[in-house]
Amino acid sequence: MELIQNTPDLSAYLAADEVIDHHHPLVRRTAARLARDAEDSYVYARLAFEFVRDTIPHSQDSGDPRVTWRASDVLEQGTGICYAKSHALAALLRAEDIPTALCYQKFDVVHGLVAVRFNGAWHRQDPRGNKPGVDAQFSLDGERLAFASNPEFNELDYPVLYAEPHPLVLDVLRAAPDRAYLWKTLPTAL
């Protein structure tokens, strides 16, 4: 699948905004801590991915009722669904000048992940969190995502790489008072 930037301006994939707030002190401290153990940007990207995947539980898996959407809130509260975890990973990567996009898959509901740009190409990564039956890994050599889409079941990989969260996703996250409500309102398509 060819991944398509929604803007040709690569600097948009390094920008900070209200959601991917990599200027926030907590994001900066976390990035600096991870960068201490990284000899290059590839190792940093892998460490940031593993940090978000492994230390921030997916709120559906853990039963956490809180809804987070801003990267700094995900890091502070230590919880989030796929979209929120993707926002946190994007912020950590952009904090270290690694172009990062938000991208999506369609299953019963829309699933969020990121793409990182290395060696002139985009590579999708899924920081959702592993559990039995899910084994997402950081990889620039073939995708190791949490879920593979199956067109026979009307599932698909959206090819667009967004510099900012999709508005539909962000609206749903912001409107949800808790995860139970969010689960009933997740978008089924973009």
Side-chain angles (χ1 to χ4, degrees), residues 13-17 19-24 26-28 30-31 44 48 52 70-72 74-75 84-98 100-102 114:
Y13 298 94
L14 292 168
D17 59 28
V19 179
I20 303 171
D21 57 343
H22 65 74
H23 54 278
H24 189 280
L26 178 57
V27 177
R28 295 310 246 186
T30 305
Y44 174 82
V52 173
R70 184 180 289 117
S72 58
V74 174
L75 295 176
K85 290 182 67 158
S86 293
H87 300 165
L89 179 57
L92 290 172
L93 294 171
R94 290 181 183 186
E96 291 295 314
D97 295 321
I98 298 170
T100 307
L102 299 166
V114 304

PDB file of all heavy atoms in Angstrom, residues 13-17 19-24 26-28 30-31 44 48 52 70-72 74-75 84-98 100-102 114:
ATOM      1  N   TYR A  13       4.755  17.408   9.829  1.00  0.00           N
ATOM      2  CA  TYR A  13       4.846  16.160  10.582  1.00  0.00           C
ATOM      3  C   TYR A  13       5.854  16.253  11.733  1.00  0.00           C
ATOM      4  O   TYR A  13       6.165  15.254  12.367  1.00  0.00           O
ATOM      5  CB  TYR A  13       5.183  15.010   9.631  1.00  0.00           C
ATOM      6  CG  TYR A  13       4.101  14.806   8.594  1.00  0.00           C
ATOM      7  CD1 TYR A  13       4.183  15.411   7.344  1.00  0.00           C
ATOM      8  CD2 TYR A  13       2.973  14.056   8.896  1.00  0.00           C
ATOM      9  CE1 TYR A  13       3.170  15.246   6.403  1.00  0.00           C
ATOM     10  CE2 TYR A  13       1.955  13.893   7.961  1.00  0.00           C
ATOM     11  CZ  TYR A  13       2.060  14.488   6.725  1.00  0.00           C
ATOM     12  OH  TYR A  13       1.051  14.334   5.803  1.00  0.00           O
ATOM     13  N   LEU A  14       6.329  17.476  11.970  1.00  0.00           N
ATOM     14  CA  LEU A  14       7.195  17.761  13.114  1.00  0.00           C
ATOM     15  C   LEU A  14       6.558  18.771  14.061  1.00  0.00           C
ATOM     16  O   LEU A  14       7.091  19.060  15.127  1.00  0.00           O
ATOM     17  CB  LEU A  14       8.545  18.321  12.630  1.00  0.00           C
ATOM     18  CG  LEU A  14       9.430  17.348  11.872  1.00  0.00           C
ATOM     19  CD1 LEU A  14      10.581  18.099  11.198  1.00  0.00           C
ATOM     20  CD2 LEU A  14       9.956  16.267  12.786  1.00  0.00           C
ATOM     21  N   ALA A  15       5.414  19.313  13.664  1.00  0.00           N
ATOM     22  CA  ALA A  15       4.784  20.420  14.387  1.00  0.00           C
ATOM     23  C   ALA A  15       4.170  19.981  15.709  1.00  0.00           C
ATOM     24  O   ALA A  15       3.736  18.836  15.870  1.00  0.00           O
ATOM     25  CB  ALA A  15       3.711  21.060  13.504  1.00  0.00           C
ATOM     26  N   ALA A  16       4.124  20.942  16.621  1.00  0.00           N
ATOM     27  CA  ALA A  16       3.398  20.767  17.886  1.00  0.00           C
ATOM     28  C   ALA A  16       2.058  21.466  17.753  1.00  0.00           C
ATOM     29  O   ALA A  16       1.925  22.461  17.043  1.00  0.00           O
ATOM     30  CB  ALA A  16       4.184  21.368  19.036  1.00  0.00           C
ATOM     31  N   ASP A  17       1.048  20.917  18.410  1.00  0.00           N
ATOM     32  CA  ASP A  17      -0.269  21.554  18.457  1.00  0.00           C
ATOM     33  C   ASP A  17      -0.907  21.213  19.801  1.00  0.00           C
ATOM     34  O   ASP A  17      -0.232  20.693  20.692  1.00  0.00           O
ATOM     35  CB  ASP A  17      -1.138  21.143  17.256  1.00  0.00           C
ATOM     36  CG  ASP A  17      -1.379  19.644  17.165  1.00  0.00           C
ATOM     37  OD1 ASP A  17      -1.374  18.936  18.210  1.00  0.00           O
ATOM     38  OD2 ASP A  17      -1.616  19.148  16.040  1.00  0.00           O
ATOM     39  N   VAL A  19      -2.884  18.863  20.591  1.00  0.00           N
ATOM     40  CA  VAL A  19      -2.961  17.418  20.834  1.00  0.00           C
ATOM     41  C   VAL A  19      -1.564  16.808  20.931  1.00  0.00           C
ATOM     42  O   VAL A  19      -1.242  16.109  21.885  1.00  0.00           O
ATOM     43  CB  VAL A  19      -3.772  16.721  19.726  1.00  0.00           C
ATOM     44  CG1 VAL A  19      -3.834  15.223  19.955  1.00  0.00           C
ATOM     45  CG2 VAL A  19      -5.167  17.311  19.635  1.00  0.00           C
ATOM     46  N   ILE A  20      -0.759  17.062  19.930  1.00  0.00           N
ATOM     47  CA  ILE A  20       0.617  16.541  19.900  1.00  0.00           C
ATOM     48  C   ILE A  20       1.501  17.644  20.478  1.00  0.00           C
ATOM     49  O   ILE A  20       2.244  18.321  19.774  1.00  0.00           O
ATOM     50  CB  ILE A  20       1.007  16.123  18.471  1.00  0.00           C
ATOM     51  CG1 ILE A  20       0.013  15.075  17.956  1.00  0.00           C
ATOM     52  CG2 ILE A  20       2.421  15.544  18.453  1.00  0.00           C
ATOM     53  CD1 ILE A  20       0.150  14.742  16.499  1.00  0.00           C
ATOM     54  N   ASP A  21       1.394  17.810  21.767  1.00  0.00           N
ATOM     55  CA  ASP A  21       2.002  18.948  22.467  1.00  0.00           C
ATOM     56  C   ASP A  21       3.427  18.631  22.922  1.00  0.00           C
ATOM     57  O   ASP A  21       3.727  18.611  24.108  1.00  0.00           O
ATOM     58  CB  ASP A  21       1.110  19.402  23.627  1.00  0.00           C
ATOM     59  CG  ASP A  21       0.797  18.316  24.638  1.00  0.00           C
ATOM     60  OD1 ASP A  21       0.990  17.116  24.329  1.00  0.00           O
ATOM     61  OD2 ASP A  21       0.342  18.662  25.746  1.00  0.00           O
ATOM     62  N   HIS A  22       4.311  18.431  21.963  1.00  0.00           N
ATOM     63  CA  HIS A  22       5.674  18.038  22.318  1.00  0.00           C
ATOM     64  C   HIS A  22       6.502  19.163  22.929  1.00  0.00           C
ATOM     65  O   HIS A  22       7.612  18.937  23.388  1.00  0.00           O
ATOM     66  CB  HIS A  22       6.398  17.350  21.158  1.00  0.00           C
ATOM     67  CG  HIS A  22       6.654  18.175  19.950  1.00  0.00           C
ATOM     68  ND1 HIS A  22       7.601  19.147  19.904  1.00  0.00           N
ATOM     69  CD2 HIS A  22       6.098  18.127  18.718  1.00  0.00           C
ATOM     70  CE1 HIS A  22       7.625  19.676  18.697  1.00  0.00           C
ATOM     71  NE2 HIS A  22       6.715  19.076  17.952  1.00  0.00           N
ATOM     72  N   HIS A  23       5.934  20.347  23.017  1.00  0.00           N
ATOM     73  CA  HIS A  23       6.570  21.445  23.740  1.00  0.00           C
ATOM     74  C   HIS A  23       6.285  21.363  25.250  1.00  0.00           C
ATOM     75  O   HIS A  23       6.933  22.051  26.034  1.00  0.00           O
ATOM     76  CB  HIS A  23       6.069  22.788  23.188  1.00  0.00           C
ATOM     77  CG  HIS A  23       4.570  22.885  23.208  1.00  0.00           C
ATOM     78  ND1 HIS A  23       3.774  22.342  22.215  1.00  0.00           N
ATOM     79  CD2 HIS A  23       3.719  23.418  24.110  1.00  0.00           C
ATOM     80  CE1 HIS A  23       2.497  22.560  22.509  1.00  0.00           C
ATOM     81  NE2 HIS A  23       2.441  23.209  23.653  1.00  0.00           N
ATOM     82  N   HIS A  24       5.347  20.520  25.655  1.00  0.00           N
ATOM     83  CA  HIS A  24       4.964  20.392  27.071  1.00  0.00           C
ATOM     84  C   HIS A  24       6.149  19.847  27.880  1.00  0.00           C
ATOM     85  O   HIS A  24       6.842  18.924  27.443  1.00  0.00           O
ATOM     86  CB  HIS A  24       3.767  19.450  27.178  1.00  0.00           C
ATOM     87  CG  HIS A  24       3.160  19.407  28.540  1.00  0.00           C
ATOM     88  ND1 HIS A  24       3.685  18.663  29.577  1.00  0.00           N
ATOM     89  CD2 HIS A  24       2.064  20.037  29.055  1.00  0.00           C
ATOM     90  CE1 HIS A  24       2.950  18.818  30.656  1.00  0.00           C
ATOM     91  NE2 HIS A  24       1.963  19.649  30.370  1.00  0.00           N
ATOM     92  N   LEU A  26       6.434  17.786  30.390  1.00  0.00           N
ATOM     93  CA  LEU A  26       6.436  16.346  30.645  1.00  0.00           C
ATOM     94  C   LEU A  26       6.856  15.569  29.394  1.00  0.00           C
ATOM     95  O   LEU A  26       7.620  14.600  29.488  1.00  0.00           O
ATOM     96  CB  LEU A  26       5.058  15.879  31.123  1.00  0.00           C
ATOM     97  CG  LEU A  26       4.921  14.369  31.377  1.00  0.00           C
ATOM     98  CD1 LEU A  26       5.952  13.868  32.389  1.00  0.00           C
ATOM     99  CD2 LEU A  26       3.510  14.041  31.834  1.00  0.00           C
ATOM    100  N   VAL A  27       6.390  15.984  28.252  1.00  0.00           N
ATOM    101  CA  VAL A  27       6.799  15.327  27.004  1.00  0.00           C
ATOM    102  C   VAL A  27       8.297  15.525  26.808  1.00  0.00           C
ATOM    103  O   VAL A  27       9.019  14.572  26.480  1.00  0.00           O
ATOM    104  CB  VAL A  27       6.007  15.869  25.794  1.00  0.00           C
ATOM    105  CG1 VAL A  27       6.500  15.237  24.502  1.00  0.00           C
ATOM    106  CG2 VAL A  27       4.507  15.628  25.981  1.00  0.00           C
ATOM    107  N   ARG A  28       8.789  16.734  27.031  1.00  0.00           N
ATOM    108  CA  ARG A  28      10.215  17.025  26.860  1.00  0.00           C
ATOM    109  C   ARG A  28      11.066  16.201  27.822  1.00  0.00           C
ATOM    110  O   ARG A  28      12.106  15.659  27.436  1.00  0.00           O
ATOM    111  CB  ARG A  28      10.498  18.513  27.069  1.00  0.00           C
ATOM    112  CG  ARG A  28       9.870  19.423  26.043  1.00  0.00           C
ATOM    113  CD  ARG A  28      10.162  18.976  24.663  1.00  0.00           C
ATOM    114  NE  ARG A  28      10.990  19.907  23.940  1.00  0.00           N
ATOM    115  CZ  ARG A  28      11.265  19.741  22.660  1.00  0.00           C
ATOM    116  NH1 ARG A  28      10.813  18.720  21.987  1.00  0.00           N
ATOM    117  NH2 ARG A  28      12.017  20.598  22.044  1.00  0.00           N
ATOM    118  N   THR A  30      10.281  13.337  29.273  1.00  0.00           N
ATOM    119  CA  THR A  30      10.207  11.926  28.884  1.00  0.00           C
ATOM    120  C   THR A  30      11.087  11.670  27.667  1.00  0.00           C
ATOM    121  O   THR A  30      11.834  10.683  27.638  1.00  0.00           O
ATOM    122  CB  THR A  30       8.745  11.527  28.601  1.00  0.00           C
ATOM    123  OG1 THR A  30       7.946  11.841  29.750  1.00  0.00           O
ATOM    124  CG2 THR A  30       8.633  10.043  28.297  1.00  0.00           C
ATOM    125  N   ALA A  31      11.032  12.545  26.693  1.00  0.00           N
ATOM    126  CA  ALA A  31      11.868  12.394  25.491  1.00  0.00           C
ATOM    127  C   ALA A  31      13.353  12.445  25.857  1.00  0.00           C
ATOM    128  O   ALA A  31      14.144  11.626  25.365  1.00  0.00           O
ATOM    129  CB  ALA A  31      11.522  13.477  24.477  1.00  0.00           C
ATOM    130  N   TYR A  44      16.287   5.659  19.249  1.00  0.00           N
ATOM    131  CA  TYR A  44      15.357   6.488  20.016  1.00  0.00           C
ATOM    132  C   TYR A  44      13.913   6.173  19.633  1.00  0.00           C
ATOM    133  O   TYR A  44      13.056   6.010  20.506  1.00  0.00           O
ATOM    134  CB  TYR A  44      15.628   7.987  19.814  1.00  0.00           C
ATOM    135  CG  TYR A  44      14.568   8.812  20.486  1.00  0.00           C
ATOM    136  CD1 TYR A  44      14.629   9.083  21.848  1.00  0.00           C
ATOM    137  CD2 TYR A  44      13.451   9.259  19.784  1.00  0.00           C
ATOM    138  CE1 TYR A  44      13.633   9.786  22.493  1.00  0.00           C
ATOM    139  CE2 TYR A  44      12.439   9.971  20.415  1.00  0.00           C
ATOM    140  CZ  TYR A  44      12.538  10.228  21.763  1.00  0.00           C
ATOM    141  OH  TYR A  44      11.531  10.902  22.399  1.00  0.00           O
ATOM    142  N   ALA A  48      11.102   4.891  22.185  1.00  0.00           N
ATOM    143  CA  ALA A  48       9.871   5.656  22.416  1.00  0.00           C
ATOM    144  C   ALA A  48       8.649   4.788  22.120  1.00  0.00           C
ATOM    145  O   ALA A  48       7.671   4.794  22.879  1.00  0.00           O
ATOM    146  CB  ALA A  48       9.862   6.916  21.557  1.00  0.00           C
ATOM    147  N   VAL A  52       5.787   3.696  24.981  1.00  0.00           N
ATOM    148  CA  VAL A  52       4.345   3.930  24.881  1.00  0.00           C
ATOM    149  C   VAL A  52       3.588   2.603  24.831  1.00  0.00           C
ATOM    150  O   VAL A  52       2.585   2.426  25.525  1.00  0.00           O
ATOM    151  CB  VAL A  52       4.012   4.818  23.661  1.00  0.00           C
ATOM    152  CG1 VAL A  52       2.509   4.916  23.449  1.00  0.00           C
ATOM    153  CG2 VAL A  52       4.612   6.207  23.832  1.00  0.00           C
ATOM    154  N   ARG A  70      -4.830  14.328  24.696  1.00  0.00           N
ATOM    155  CA  ARG A  70      -3.629  15.160  24.538  1.00  0.00           C
ATOM    156  C   ARG A  70      -2.414  14.322  24.944  1.00  0.00           C
ATOM    157  O   ARG A  70      -2.457  13.618  25.961  1.00  0.00           O
ATOM    158  CB  ARG A  70      -3.756  16.394  25.419  1.00  0.00           C
ATOM    159  CG  ARG A  70      -2.645  17.383  25.286  1.00  0.00           C
ATOM    160  CD  ARG A  70      -2.849  18.596  26.191  1.00  0.00           C
ATOM    161  NE  ARG A  70      -3.944  19.421  25.704  1.00  0.00           N
ATOM    162  CZ  ARG A  70      -5.078  19.653  26.371  1.00  0.00           C
ATOM    163  NH1 ARG A  70      -5.281  19.109  27.564  1.00  0.00           N
ATOM    164  NH2 ARG A  70      -6.000  20.430  25.870  1.00  0.00           N
ATOM    165  N   ALA A  71      -1.340  14.406  24.182  1.00  0.00           N
ATOM    166  CA  ALA A  71      -0.152  13.590  24.445  1.00  0.00           C
ATOM    167  C   ALA A  71       0.339  13.731  25.883  1.00  0.00           C
ATOM    168  O   ALA A  71       0.620  12.722  26.548  1.00  0.00           O
ATOM    169  CB  ALA A  71       0.954  13.954  23.455  1.00  0.00           C
ATOM    170  N   SER A  72       0.434  14.960  26.380  1.00  0.00           N
ATOM    171  CA  SER A  72       0.939  15.153  27.749  1.00  0.00           C
ATOM    172  C   SER A  72       0.011  14.518  28.786  1.00  0.00           C
ATOM    173  O   SER A  72       0.481  13.997  29.800  1.00  0.00           O
ATOM    174  CB  SER A  72       1.132  16.645  28.039  1.00  0.00           C
ATOM    175  OG  SER A  72      -0.080  17.350  27.863  1.00  0.00           O
ATOM    176  N   VAL A  74      -1.828  11.805  28.270  1.00  0.00           N
ATOM    177  CA  VAL A  74      -1.595  10.356  28.165  1.00  0.00           C
ATOM    178  C   VAL A  74      -0.388   9.980  29.012  1.00  0.00           C
ATOM    179  O   VAL A  74      -0.426   9.012  29.781  1.00  0.00           O
ATOM    180  CB  VAL A  74      -1.398   9.931  26.699  1.00  0.00           C
ATOM    181  CG1 VAL A  74      -1.004   8.458  26.603  1.00  0.00           C
ATOM    182  CG2 VAL A  74      -2.647  10.210  25.874  1.00  0.00           C
ATOM    183  N   LEU A  75       0.687  10.766  28.894  1.00  0.00           N
ATOM    184  CA  LEU A  75       1.895  10.475  29.674  1.00  0.00           C
ATOM    185  C   LEU A  75       1.661  10.696  31.168  1.00  0.00           C
ATOM    186  O   LEU A  75       2.104   9.896  31.991  1.00  0.00           O
ATOM    187  CB  LEU A  75       3.059  11.341  29.190  1.00  0.00           C
ATOM    188  CG  LEU A  75       3.529  11.077  27.759  1.00  0.00           C
ATOM    189  CD1 LEU A  75       4.628  12.069  27.372  1.00  0.00           C
ATOM    190  CD2 LEU A  75       4.000   9.653  27.578  1.00  0.00           C
ATOM    191  N   ALA A  84      -5.099   7.883  21.498  1.00  0.00           N
ATOM    192  CA  ALA A  84      -4.361   8.662  22.489  1.00  0.00           C
ATOM    193  C   ALA A  84      -2.909   8.189  22.597  1.00  0.00           C
ATOM    194  O   ALA A  84      -1.984   9.002  22.687  1.00  0.00           O
ATOM    195  CB  ALA A  84      -5.059   8.569  23.849  1.00  0.00           C
ATOM    196  N   LYS A  85      -2.709   6.892  22.579  1.00  0.00           N
ATOM    197  CA  LYS A  85      -1.346   6.358  22.629  1.00  0.00           C
ATOM    198  C   LYS A  85      -0.569   6.778  21.389  1.00  0.00           C
ATOM    199  O   LYS A  85       0.623   7.086  21.471  1.00  0.00           O
ATOM    200  CB  LYS A  85      -1.377   4.843  22.799  1.00  0.00           C
ATOM    201  CG  LYS A  85      -1.870   4.418  24.180  1.00  0.00           C
ATOM    202  CD  LYS A  85      -1.856   2.926  24.370  1.00  0.00           C
ATOM    203  CE  LYS A  85      -0.446   2.425  24.374  1.00  0.00           C
ATOM    204  NZ  LYS A  85      -0.254   1.142  25.031  1.00  0.00           N
ATOM    205  N   SER A  86      -1.234   6.838  20.250  1.00  0.00           N
ATOM    206  CA  SER A  86      -0.583   7.309  19.026  1.00  0.00           C
ATOM    207  C   SER A  86      -0.208   8.781  19.147  1.00  0.00           C
ATOM    208  O   SER A  86       0.863   9.194  18.687  1.00  0.00           O
ATOM    209  CB  SER A  86      -1.490   7.088  17.814  1.00  0.00           C
ATOM    210  OG  SER A  86      -1.659   5.707  17.579  1.00  0.00           O
ATOM    211  N   HIS A  87      -1.064   9.581  19.766  1.00  0.00           N
ATOM    212  CA  HIS A  87      -0.753  10.998  19.977  1.00  0.00           C
ATOM    213  C   HIS A  87       0.488  11.135  20.860  1.00  0.00           C
ATOM    214  O   HIS A  87       1.361  11.969  20.592  1.00  0.00           O
ATOM    215  CB  HIS A  87      -1.928  11.724  20.619  1.00  0.00           C
ATOM    216  CG  HIS A  87      -3.183  11.688  19.808  1.00  0.00           C
ATOM    217  ND1 HIS A  87      -4.413  12.012  20.342  1.00  0.00           N
ATOM    218  CD2 HIS A  87      -3.416  11.365  18.510  1.00  0.00           C
ATOM    219  CE1 HIS A  87      -5.346  11.888  19.408  1.00  0.00           C
ATOM    220  NE2 HIS A  87      -4.762  11.491  18.294  1.00  0.00           N
ATOM    221  N   ALA A  88       0.578  10.323  21.904  1.00  0.00           N
ATOM    222  CA  ALA A  88       1.738  10.377  22.803  1.00  0.00           C
ATOM    223  C   ALA A  88       3.013   9.969  22.072  1.00  0.00           C
ATOM    224  O   ALA A  88       4.049  10.625  22.210  1.00  0.00           O
ATOM    225  CB  ALA A  88       1.504   9.481  24.020  1.00  0.00           C
ATOM    226  N   LEU A  89       2.946   8.898  21.292  1.00  0.00           N
ATOM    227  CA  LEU A  89       4.131   8.466  20.554  1.00  0.00           C
ATOM    228  C   LEU A  89       4.534   9.521  19.531  1.00  0.00           C
ATOM    229  O   LEU A  89       5.721   9.831  19.391  1.00  0.00           O
ATOM    230  CB  LEU A  89       3.893   7.118  19.880  1.00  0.00           C
ATOM    231  CG  LEU A  89       5.070   6.578  19.066  1.00  0.00           C
ATOM    232  CD1 LEU A  89       6.338   6.459  19.914  1.00  0.00           C
ATOM    233  CD2 LEU A  89       4.705   5.233  18.439  1.00  0.00           C
ATOM    234  N   ALA A  90       3.575  10.095  18.824  1.00  0.00           N
ATOM    235  CA  ALA A  90       3.894  11.140  17.848  1.00  0.00           C
ATOM    236  C   ALA A  90       4.602  12.305  18.531  1.00  0.00           C
ATOM    237  O   ALA A  90       5.582  12.848  18.001  1.00  0.00           O
ATOM    238  CB  ALA A  90       2.630  11.612  17.140  1.00  0.00           C
ATOM    239  N   ALA A  91       4.134  12.705  19.707  1.00  0.00           N
ATOM    240  CA  ALA A  91       4.761  13.814  20.425  1.00  0.00           C
ATOM    241  C   ALA A  91       6.191  13.474  20.827  1.00  0.00           C
ATOM    242  O   ALA A  91       7.095  14.296  20.670  1.00  0.00           O
ATOM    243  CB  ALA A  91       3.929  14.188  21.653  1.00  0.00           C
ATOM    244  N   LEU A  92       6.404  12.275  21.347  1.00  0.00           N
ATOM    245  CA  LEU A  92       7.758  11.875  21.743  1.00  0.00           C
ATOM    246  C   LEU A  92       8.695  11.827  20.546  1.00  0.00           C
ATOM    247  O   LEU A  92       9.865  12.237  20.637  1.00  0.00           O
ATOM    248  CB  LEU A  92       7.728  10.523  22.462  1.00  0.00           C
ATOM    249  CG  LEU A  92       7.095  10.521  23.845  1.00  0.00           C
ATOM    250  CD1 LEU A  92       6.944   9.096  24.365  1.00  0.00           C
ATOM    251  CD2 LEU A  92       7.909  11.377  24.817  1.00  0.00           C
ATOM    252  N   LEU A  93       8.213  11.339  19.417  1.00  0.00           N
ATOM    253  CA  LEU A  93       9.058  11.258  18.225  1.00  0.00           C
ATOM    254  C   LEU A  93       9.330  12.640  17.644  1.00  0.00           C
ATOM    255  O   LEU A  93      10.470  12.971  17.304  1.00  0.00           O
ATOM    256  CB  LEU A  93       8.412  10.343  17.187  1.00  0.00           C
ATOM    257  CG  LEU A  93       8.318   8.871  17.604  1.00  0.00           C
ATOM    258  CD1 LEU A  93       7.482   8.081  16.615  1.00  0.00           C
ATOM    259  CD2 LEU A  93       9.693   8.246  17.769  1.00  0.00           C
ATOM    260  N   ARG A  94       8.306  13.460  17.558  1.00  0.00           N
ATOM    261  CA  ARG A  94       8.497  14.817  17.031  1.00  0.00           C
ATOM    262  C   ARG A  94       9.388  15.653  17.948  1.00  0.00           C
ATOM    263  O   ARG A  94      10.109  16.530  17.477  1.00  0.00           O
ATOM    264  CB  ARG A  94       7.149  15.503  16.838  1.00  0.00           C
ATOM    265  CG  ARG A  94       6.338  14.913  15.693  1.00  0.00           C
ATOM    266  CD  ARG A  94       5.029  15.651  15.523  1.00  0.00           C
ATOM    267  NE  ARG A  94       4.211  15.049  14.472  1.00  0.00           N
ATOM    268  CZ  ARG A  94       3.061  15.575  14.053  1.00  0.00           C
ATOM    269  NH1 ARG A  94       2.603  16.704  14.571  1.00  0.00           N
ATOM    270  NH2 ARG A  94       2.374  14.967  13.102  1.00  0.00           N
ATOM    271  N   ALA A  95       9.362  15.369  19.235  1.00  0.00           N
ATOM    272  CA  ALA A  95      10.226  16.089  20.176  1.00  0.00           C
ATOM    273  C   ALA A  95      11.700  15.883  19.840  1.00  0.00           C
ATOM    274  O   ALA A  95      12.540  16.724  20.158  1.00  0.00           O
ATOM    275  CB  ALA A  95       9.954  15.633  21.610  1.00  0.00           C
ATOM    276  N   GLU A  96      12.006  14.787  19.193  1.00  0.00           N
ATOM    277  CA  GLU A  96      13.381  14.484  18.778  1.00  0.00           C
ATOM    278  C   GLU A  96      13.549  14.610  17.260  1.00  0.00           C
ATOM    279  O   GLU A  96      14.420  13.979  16.662  1.00  0.00           O
ATOM    280  CB  GLU A  96      13.777  13.082  19.259  1.00  0.00           C
ATOM    281  CG  GLU A  96      13.930  12.988  20.761  1.00  0.00           C
ATOM    282  CD  GLU A  96      15.086  13.832  21.293  1.00  0.00           C
ATOM    283  OE1 GLU A  96      16.193  13.793  20.712  1.00  0.00           O
ATOM    284  OE2 GLU A  96      14.870  14.542  22.297  1.00  0.00           O
ATOM    285  N   ASP A  97      12.690  15.426  16.637  1.00  0.00           N
ATOM    286  CA  ASP A  97      12.791  15.750  15.200  1.00  0.00           C
ATOM    287  C   ASP A  97      12.666  14.544  14.272  1.00  0.00           C
ATOM    288  O   ASP A  97      13.308  14.490  13.228  1.00  0.00           O
ATOM    289  CB  ASP A  97      14.079  16.524  14.900  1.00  0.00           C
ATOM    290  CG  ASP A  97      14.087  17.888  15.567  1.00  0.00           C
ATOM    291  OD1 ASP A  97      13.019  18.533  15.602  1.00  0.00           O
ATOM    292  OD2 ASP A  97      15.148  18.291  16.077  1.00  0.00           O
ATOM    293  N   ILE A  98      11.803  13.607  14.642  1.00  0.00           N
ATOM    294  CA  ILE A  98      11.501  12.472  13.771  1.00  0.00           C
ATOM    295  C   ILE A  98      10.116  12.718  13.184  1.00  0.00           C
ATOM    296  O   ILE A  98       9.122  12.746  13.927  1.00  0.00           O
ATOM    297  CB  ILE A  98      11.542  11.141  14.547  1.00  0.00           C
ATOM    298  CG1 ILE A  98      12.955  10.902  15.106  1.00  0.00           C
ATOM    299  CG2 ILE A  98      11.097   9.976  13.656  1.00  0.00           C
ATOM    300  CD1 ILE A  98      13.054   9.760  16.084  1.00  0.00           C
ATOM    301  N   THR A 100       6.577  12.336  12.086  1.00  0.00           N
ATOM    302  CA  THR A 100       5.612  11.320  12.504  1.00  0.00           C
ATOM    303  C   THR A 100       4.218  11.734  12.056  1.00  0.00           C
ATOM    304  O   THR A 100       3.797  12.865  12.276  1.00  0.00           O
ATOM    305  CB  THR A 100       5.637  11.146  14.036  1.00  0.00           C
ATOM    306  OG1 THR A 100       6.983  10.901  14.454  1.00  0.00           O
ATOM    307  CG2 THR A 100       4.757   9.991  14.473  1.00  0.00           C
ATOM    308  N   ALA A 101       3.512  10.786  11.453  1.00  0.00           N
ATOM    309  CA  ALA A 101       2.146  10.999  10.982  1.00  0.00           C
ATOM    310  C   ALA A 101       1.196  10.129  11.778  1.00  0.00           C
ATOM    311  O   ALA A 101       1.589   9.112  12.362  1.00  0.00           O
ATOM    312  CB  ALA A 101       2.044  10.644   9.498  1.00  0.00           C
ATOM    313  N   LEU A 102      -0.065  10.528  11.780  1.00  0.00           N
ATOM    314  CA  LEU A 102      -1.132   9.710  12.352  1.00  0.00           C
ATOM    315  C   LEU A 102      -1.830   9.024  11.188  1.00  0.00           C
ATOM    316  O   LEU A 102      -2.056   9.625  10.140  1.00  0.00           O
ATOM    317  CB  LEU A 102      -2.098  10.578  13.139  1.00  0.00           C
ATOM    318  CG  LEU A 102      -1.430  11.307  14.310  1.00  0.00           C
ATOM    319  CD1 LEU A 102      -2.330  12.391  14.840  1.00  0.00           C
ATOM    320  CD2 LEU A 102      -1.034  10.337  15.395  1.00  0.00           C
ATOM    321  N   VAL A 114       0.538   5.158  14.055  1.00  0.00           N
ATOM    322  CA  VAL A 114       1.405   6.214  13.535  1.00  0.00           C
ATOM    323  C   VAL A 114       2.246   5.679  12.385  1.00  0.00           C
ATOM    324  O   VAL A 114       2.361   4.469  12.185  1.00  0.00           O
ATOM    325  CB  VAL A 114       2.348   6.802  14.622  1.00  0.00           C
ATOM    326  CG1 VAL A 114       1.566   7.329  15.814  1.00  0.00           C
ATOM    327  CG2 VAL A 114       3.400   5.800  15.051  1.00  0.00           C
TER     328      VAL A 114
END
